[in-house]
mmCIF file of all heavy atoms in Angstrom:
data_model
loop_
_atom_site.group_PDB
_atom_site.id
_atom_site.type_symbol
_atom_site.label_atom_id
_atom_site.label_comp_id
_atom_site.label_asym_id
_atom_site.label_seq_id
_atom_site.Cartn_x
_atom_site.Cartn_y
_atom_site.Cartn_z
ATOM 1 N N HIS A 118 -34.135 13.703 -26.559
ATOM 2 C CA HIS A 118 -34.169 15.080 -26.056
ATOM 3 C C HIS A 118 -35.522 15.753 -26.186
ATOM 4 O O HIS A 118 -35.816 16.697 -25.465
ATOM 5 C CB HIS A 118 -33.131 15.930 -26.807
ATOM 6 C CG HIS A 118 -31.750 15.393 -26.731
ATOM 7 N ND1 HIS A 118 -31.168 15.007 -25.535
ATOM 8 C CD2 HIS A 118 -30.827 15.141 -27.688
ATOM 9 C CE1 HIS A 118 -29.942 14.560 -25.773
ATOM 10 N NE2 HIS A 118 -29.719 14.624 -27.070
ATOM 11 N N PHE A 119 -36.334 15.282 -27.144
ATOM 12 C CA PHE A 119 -37.545 16.050 -27.455
ATOM 13 C C PHE A 119 -38.669 15.110 -27.882
ATOM 14 O O PHE A 119 -38.441 14.181 -28.663
ATOM 15 C CB PHE A 119 -37.228 17.021 -28.609
ATOM 16 C CG PHE A 119 -38.397 17.843 -29.068
ATOM 17 C CD1 PHE A 119 -38.830 18.937 -28.344
ATOM 18 C CD2 PHE A 119 -39.073 17.514 -30.248
ATOM 19 C CE1 PHE A 119 -39.915 19.696 -28.777
ATOM 20 C CE2 PHE A 119 -40.159 18.273 -30.685
ATOM 21 C CZ PHE A 119 -40.570 19.363 -29.942
ATOM 22 N N ASP A 120 -39.861 15.344 -27.327
ATOM 23 C CA ASP A 120 -41.059 14.572 -27.712
ATOM 24 C C ASP A 120 -42.174 15.524 -28.117
ATOM 25 O O ASP A 120 -42.404 16.532 -27.441
ATOM 26 C CB ASP A 120 -41.628 13.787 -26.517
ATOM 27 C CG ASP A 120 -40.862 12.521 -26.186
ATOM 28 O OD1 ASP A 120 -39.902 12.188 -26.893
ATOM 29 O OD2 ASP A 120 -41.257 11.878 -25.187
ATOM 30 N N LEU A 121 -42.868 15.160 -29.185
ATOM 31 C CA LEU A 121 -44.147 15.779 -29.492
ATOM 32 C C LEU A 121 -45.174 14.669 -29.292
ATOM 33 O O LEU A 121 -45.167 13.681 -30.020
ATOM 34 C CB LEU A 121 -44.116 16.253 -30.950
ATOM 35 C CG LEU A 121 -44.792 17.547 -31.362
ATOM 36 C CD1 LEU A 121 -44.450 18.705 -30.445
ATOM 37 C CD2 LEU A 121 -44.431 17.875 -32.805
ATOM 38 N N VAL A 122 -46.017 14.828 -28.265
ATOM 39 C CA VAL A 122 -46.998 13.792 -27.941
ATOM 40 C C VAL A 122 -48.318 14.171 -28.602
ATOM 41 O O VAL A 122 -48.728 15.340 -28.569
ATOM 42 C CB VAL A 122 -47.195 13.672 -26.414
ATOM 43 C CG1 VAL A 122 -48.112 12.497 -26.075
ATOM 44 C CG2 VAL A 122 -45.842 13.514 -25.709
ATOM 45 N N PHE A 123 -48.966 13.182 -29.220
ATOM 46 C CA PHE A 123 -50.214 13.458 -29.931
ATOM 47 C C PHE A 123 -51.407 12.860 -29.204
ATOM 48 O O PHE A 123 -51.277 11.886 -28.449
ATOM 49 C CB PHE A 123 -50.124 12.923 -31.365
ATOM 50 C CG PHE A 123 -49.155 13.706 -32.209
ATOM 51 C CD1 PHE A 123 -47.822 13.321 -32.288
ATOM 52 C CD2 PHE A 123 -49.559 14.838 -32.889
ATOM 53 C CE1 PHE A 123 -46.917 14.057 -33.051
ATOM 54 C CE2 PHE A 123 -48.663 15.577 -33.650
ATOM 55 C CZ PHE A 123 -47.336 15.180 -33.726
ATOM 56 N N ALA A 124 -52.594 13.430 -29.496
ATOM 57 C CA ALA A 124 -53.823 13.036 -28.800
ATOM 58 C C ALA A 124 -54.159 11.567 -29.020
ATOM 59 O O ALA A 124 -54.810 10.946 -28.174
ATOM 60 C CB ALA A 124 -54.973 13.931 -29.270
ATOM 61 N N ASN A 125 -53.711 10.986 -30.125
ATOM 62 C CA ASN A 125 -54.016 9.573 -30.381
ATOM 63 C C ASN A 125 -53.016 8.621 -29.715
ATOM 64 O O ASN A 125 -53.033 7.415 -29.971
ATOM 65 C CB ASN A 125 -54.086 9.307 -31.893
ATOM 66 C CG ASN A 125 -52.725 9.432 -32.568
ATOM 67 O OD1 ASN A 125 -51.777 9.932 -31.958
ATOM 68 N ND2 ASN A 125 -52.637 8.975 -33.796
ATOM 69 N N GLY A 126 -52.116 9.159 -28.902
ATOM 70 C CA GLY A 126 -51.231 8.286 -28.115
ATOM 71 C C GLY A 126 -49.880 7.999 -28.737
ATOM 72 O O GLY A 126 -49.071 7.272 -28.154
ATOM 73 N N VAL A 127 -49.611 8.547 -29.916
ATOM 74 C CA VAL A 127 -48.276 8.347 -30.475
ATOM 75 C C VAL A 127 -47.384 9.533 -30.117
ATOM 76 O O VAL A 127 -47.863 10.627 -29.801
ATOM 77 C CB VAL A 127 -48.276 8.123 -32.012
ATOM 78 C CG1 VAL A 127 -49.142 6.941 -32.391
ATOM 79 C CG2 VAL A 127 -48.651 9.385 -32.764
ATOM 80 N N VAL A 128 -46.092 9.273 -30.163
ATOM 81 C CA VAL A 128 -45.094 10.289 -29.838
ATOM 82 C C VAL A 128 -44.102 10.404 -30.984
ATOM 83 O O VAL A 128 -43.615 9.390 -31.476
ATOM 84 C CB VAL A 128 -44.302 9.882 -28.560
ATOM 85 C CG1 VAL A 128 -43.216 10.911 -28.253
ATOM 86 C CG2 VAL A 128 -45.222 9.713 -27.384
ATOM 87 N N LEU A 129 -43.811 11.618 -31.408
ATOM 88 C CA LEU A 129 -42.691 11.853 -32.319
ATOM 89 C C LEU A 129 -41.495 12.174 -31.423
ATOM 90 O O LEU A 129 -41.508 13.160 -30.689
ATOM 91 C CB LEU A 129 -42.996 13.034 -33.244
ATOM 92 C CG LEU A 129 -41.876 13.400 -34.223
ATOM 93 C CD1 LEU A 129 -41.688 12.313 -35.280
ATOM 94 C CD2 LEU A 129 -42.166 14.747 -34.896
ATOM 95 N N ARG A 130 -40.500 11.294 -31.439
ATOM 96 C CA ARG A 130 -39.392 11.399 -30.470
ATOM 97 C C ARG A 130 -38.065 11.620 -31.186
ATOM 98 O O ARG A 130 -37.696 10.850 -32.070
ATOM 99 C CB ARG A 130 -39.346 10.127 -29.615
ATOM 100 C CG ARG A 130 -38.275 10.130 -28.535
ATOM 101 C CD ARG A 130 -38.527 9.021 -27.519
ATOM 102 N NE ARG A 130 -39.660 9.357 -26.644
ATOM 103 C CZ ARG A 130 -40.204 8.508 -25.757
ATOM 104 N NH1 ARG A 130 -39.729 7.271 -25.646
ATOM 105 N NH2 ARG A 130 -41.208 8.888 -24.997
ATOM 106 N N LEU A 131 -37.358 12.667 -30.790
ATOM 107 C CA LEU A 131 -36.042 12.978 -31.362
ATOM 108 C C LEU A 131 -34.943 12.468 -30.440
ATOM 109 O O LEU A 131 -34.881 12.838 -29.268
ATOM 110 C CB LEU A 131 -35.883 14.493 -31.543
ATOM 111 C CG LEU A 131 -34.498 14.976 -32.004
ATOM 112 C CD1 LEU A 131 -34.223 14.570 -33.460
ATOM 113 C CD2 LEU A 131 -34.352 16.486 -31.852
#
Side-chain angles (χ1 to χ4, degrees):
H118 304 311
F119 178 77
D120 282 358
L121 217 48
V122 186
F123 291 91
N125 68 348
V127 303
V128 177
L129 178 68
R130 182 165 286 172
L131 174 70

